[in-house]
Amino acid sequence: EAQVTQNPRYLITVTGKKLTVTCSQNMNHEYMSWYRQDPGLGLRQIYYSMNVEVTDKGDVPEGYKVSRKEKRNFPLILESPSPNQTSLYFCASSYGTSGGAGEQYFGPGTRLTVT
Amino acid sequence: GENVEQHPSTLSVQEGDSAVIKCTYSDSASNYFPWYKQELGKRPQLIIDIRSNVGEKKDQRIAVTLNKTAKHFSLHITETQPEDSAVYFCAAFNAGGTSYGKLTFGQGTILTVHP
């Protein structure tokens, strides 16, 4: 089954404790992206990747890191989480032409709480 | 960078009525405009999209129009049904310059269809 998976789905952590949220897709998509969703603010892009070893900042990259060592995986790293990073996070991938201008397939989301 | 404004933030209609959601964008390098529907507790899913070389696209009860000169695009839902109730997001994909590959979402519209 074609899908985007994220782990963990729920995470409660404390300020400053490094964490990684994994994202994997099995559709051979080149474009992958991370978003955070907060009430009233919509979906905001954190980082995106047009291909392996290529990553770019989205609109809210501060406090986050990513890597794209393999086509299927795009982990999101919070080196020192803070309470303002409490949010719902979505990973997505796209097969679109022109580097991602196509349907975004979203993962199920990760609800992160930082206390 | 790109800025996408979406209006209204909430929309309430009676079943059978039409609903219109409008978005404006700022960067003329954007060339792909998708619309996503997010039901409560679920991930966003693409419902329709349009590319900059097209002015209008229709899929059964939903349609999208694009005015490149004015930099705005709209979602039209006709004969609304209660199952159309959800949050709708517009987005703009940047295909040029230093923001190539960035996908910017609007703030979302909560649509409620009353039976």
Side-chain angles (χ1 to χ4, degrees):
Chain A
E1 180 192 354
Q3 60 182 346
V4 178
T5 57
Q6 294 178 231
N7 282 292
R9 295 287 314 281
Y10 303 91
L11 180 58
I12 300 174
T13 190
V14 297
T15 299
K17 186 177 180 182
K18 181 179 178 179
L19 68 92
T20 299
V21 183
T22 64
C23 174
S24 185
Q25 51 94 4
N26 62 0
M27 295 171 279
N28 201 35
H29 288 170
E30 291 182 343
Y31 186 96
M32 296 187 75
S33 183
W34 277 102
Y35 304 91
R36 61 178 289 174
Q37 185 173 24
D38 303 289
L41 297 176
L43 290 153
R44 293 181 292 168
Q45 193 173 46
I46 303 171
Y47 270 96
Y48 61 99
S49 170
M50 309 269 274
N51 213 327
V52 175
E53 302 291 0
V54 179
T55 61
D56 287 286
K57 294 178 181 178
D59 289 318
V60 288
E62 296 78 19
Y64 304 95
K65 283 176 58 175
V66 293
S67 67
R68 188 92 182 273
K69 293 187 172 66
E70 305 164 285
K71 198 171 189 178
R72 64 183 293 126
N73 296 323
F74 191 45
L76 179 70
I77 304 156
L78 285 72
E79 295 266 0
S80 183
S82 62
N84 65 11
Q85 292 178 298
T86 292
S87 189
L88 177 60
Y89 291 87
F90 286 102
C91 179
S93 70
S94 170
Y95 63 84
T97 57
S98 302
E103 178 175 1
Q104 298 280 307
Y105 289 82
F106 284 85
T110 295
R111 173 86 52 194
L112 173 65
T113 302
V114 184
T115 62
Chain B
E2 177 65 276
N3 182 43
V4 177
E5 294 287 335
Q6 181 172 346
H7 298 281
S9 56
T10 61
L11 181 58
S12 185
V13 300
Q14 289 296 128
E15 183 176 0
D17 287 351
S18 294
V20 180
I21 303 170
K22 299 183 179 182
C23 287
T24 60
Y25 63 100
S26 60
D27 195 334
S28 57
S30 292
N31 72 344
Y32 170 69
F33 307 93
W35 286 88
Y36 287 84
K37 174 184 181 182
Q38 186 179 27
E39 296 175 349
L40 191 62
K42 297 193 174 178
R43 70 194 80 181
Q45 290 194 299
L46 182 76
I47 54 171
I48 196 166
D49 56 13
I50 191 166
R51 299 186 186 269
S52 58
N53 58 347
V54 175
E56 184 175 354
K57 184 177 178 181
K58 230 177 161 180
D59 183 3
Q60 299 183 337
R61 295 187 298 110
I62 59 173
V64 57
T65 57
L66 171 65
N67 183 325
K68 274 176 26 180
T69 304
K71 295 196 184 77
H72 67 70
F73 56 113
S74 300
L75 177 71
H76 305 254
I77 306 174
T78 58
E79 300 170 25
T80 53
Q81 300 166 2
E83 49 266 39
D84 294 329
S85 296
V87 182
Y88 291 81
F89 294 99
C90 64
F93 179 85
N94 194 299
T98 56
S99 295
Y100 179 50
K102 189 182 284 190
L103 183 63
T104 305
F105 283 82
Q107 297 84 353
T109 296
I110 302 171
L111 173 65
T112 305
V113 181
H114 299 281

